[in-house]
Amino acid sequence: MNVRDAATRSGLPPKTVRYYDDIGLVVPDRRGNGYRDYDNRAVQKLAFLKRARQLGFSIDDCRQLLSLYEDNERASADVKALAETHLEEIDRRLEELQHLRETLKHLVHACRGDDRPDCPILADLSGDK
Amino acid sequence: MNVRDAATRSGLPPKTVRYYDDIGLVVPDRRGNGYRDYDNRAVQKLAFLKRARQLGFSIDDCRQLLSLYEDNERASADVKALAETHLEEIDRRLEELQHLRETLKHLVHACRGDDRPDCPILADLSGDK
DNA sequence: CCTTGAGCTTCCAGTTACTAGAACCTTTAT
DNA sequence: ATAAAGGTTCTAGTAACTGGAAGCTCAAGG
């Protein structure tokens, strides 16, 4: 199956599918004319990647997940460890964002937002205590 | 003052300070020998940038904030509008991340994490319903 | 005065995960 | 025969730096 079909079925843009070939994530067979030829297995892997990326796993994470996915001898503990590490990262990022949100909300609330130059947001940014 | 001192005082790495010069964010004077020469005003701006970047404003946002910062005729409403837009973006990102966290937490919880290959995380990623 | 080491300069490459576009080839349909 | 559609590769651009190399300048010690 050609790249466009593989893309459609996996839900990824064709450009991305080619990119995943380039970086060796999902490497399809090639036909005599040089066209990529994807089988169902490859499409499955592409769909797997789409989902994993949506869940915020990095390409590097995906590489590991994919090899675990392919490995019938794998231990589920390996997968779980990867997911847990990722979860911790998400928690860190969430905390940062929440903190940021509070600060910003506070500043926005404090700013009168009229046509005068007086602005607590800029005052804060400038390091004013 | 040389770039290293400006960097130290503003809390930014010297590389970043030079970068901000390159992209025209904070352009210092040059001395006869070609060395960058920062005054207190420039250091203030660098510190301003550091804080704004920490709050997640993009470089482009920063460019606008900086010009508002410099403009004594500004209307605080302009600043507020910028900050509000940014706040909305943060809220969107927060929601995404929280959703993601739930999904992932659920999966991690469901996975036994032993030495057997059976793994609900991989099952989910593969599109298994 | 000379040398050494620190600090400055610029420029190039790498990072992440694609995406846009150009130039060119192959297949399919008219 | 030709034109459109779809395939190929390659380069460059995105955001915001960061690391490293080659080379110039400056201050201090012998």
Side-chain angles (χ1 to χ4, degrees):
Chain A
M1 144 188 10
N2 279 346
V3 70
R4 190 157 304 258
D5 291 330
T8 306
R9 292 209 206 171
S10 64
L12 291 169
K15 280 275 192 193
T16 302
V17 174
R18 288 197 194 93
Y19 174 69
Y20 287 166
D21 177 9
D22 287 348
I23 63 173
L25 258 190
V26 178
V27 181
D29 288 341
R30 293 289 183 140
R31 288 210 292 269
N33 56 12
Y35 284 24
R36 290 172 178 81
D37 190 8
Y38 290 87
D39 57 16
N40 289 329
R41 183 101 193 98
V43 171
Q44 243 181 41
K45 290 206 264 172
L46 289 172
F48 178 99
L49 284 172
K50 188 196 175 185
R51 178 92 174 114
R53 292 287 298 128
Q54 271 175 355
L55 287 181
F57 286 97
S58 73
I59 289 289
D60 240 38
D61 288 339
C62 286
R63 220 180 276 277
Q64 291 179 64
L65 285 172
L66 212 50
S67 75
L68 290 169
Y69 177 55
E70 303 247 81
D71 178 10
N72 291 322
E73 306 293 308
R74 78 199 166 219
S76 65
D78 293 342
V79 183
K80 188 169 184 170
L82 215 58
E84 271 172 344
T85 299
H86 185 50
L87 191 55
E88 282 161 23
E89 266 166 42
I90 288 173
D91 281 345
R92 264 195 299 282
R93 187 86 192 110
L94 263 176
E95 260 179 58
E96 269 175 40
L97 264 184
Q98 268 153 358
H99 180 68
L100 209 128
R101 189 202 130 86
E102 283 320 300
T103 307
L104 208 55
K105 200 178 172 183
H106 179 73
L107 287 175
V108 165
H109 188 72
C111 177
R112 204 161 35 204
D114 54 18
D115 56 0
R116 307 211 318 222
D118 213 38
C119 179
I121 299 174
L122 291 180
D124 173 278
L125 287 174
S126 72
D128 182 30
K129 292 298 173 315
Chain B
M1 133 186 24
N2 279 347
V3 69
R4 192 159 301 260
D5 291 331
T8 305
R9 291 209 207 171
S10 64
L12 291 169
K15 277 278 190 187
T16 302
V17 175
R18 288 196 193 93
Y19 174 69
Y20 287 167
D21 177 9
D22 287 347
I23 64 173
L25 259 190
V26 178
V27 180
D29 288 340
R30 295 287 184 142
R31 288 208 294 267
N33 55 13
Y35 284 22
R36 290 173 179 81
D37 190 8
Y38 291 87
D39 56 17
N40 289 330
R41 181 101 193 98
V43 171
Q44 243 181 42
K45 290 206 265 173
L46 289 172
F48 179 98
L49 284 172
K50 188 193 175 188
R51 179 93 174 111
R53 293 286 300 128
Q54 271 174 356
L55 286 182
F57 286 97
S58 72
I59 290 288
D60 241 38
D61 287 340
C62 287
R63 221 180 275 277
Q64 290 180 63
L65 285 171
L66 212 49
S67 77
L68 289 169
Y69 178 56
E70 304 246 81
D71 177 10
N72 291 322
E73 306 292 311
R74 76 194 167 223
S76 66
D78 292 342
V79 183
K80 188 170 184 169
L82 216 58
E84 271 172 345
T85 300
H86 185 51
L87 191 55
E88 282 161 23
E89 267 166 42
I90 287 173
D91 281 346
R92 266 195 299 281
R93 280 195 59 69
L94 264 175
E95 261 178 58
E96 270 174 41
L97 264 184
Q98 268 152 358
H99 180 69
L100 207 128
R101 189 202 130 86
E102 283 320 300
T103 307
L104 207 55
K105 199 179 172 184
H106 178 74
L107 287 175
V108 165
H109 187 72
C111 178
R112 206 161 33 205
D114 54 19
D115 57 0
R116 307 216 313 228
D118 214 38
C119 179
I121 299 174
L122 292 181
D124 173 277
L125 287 174
S126 72
D128 183 30
K129 291 298 174 318

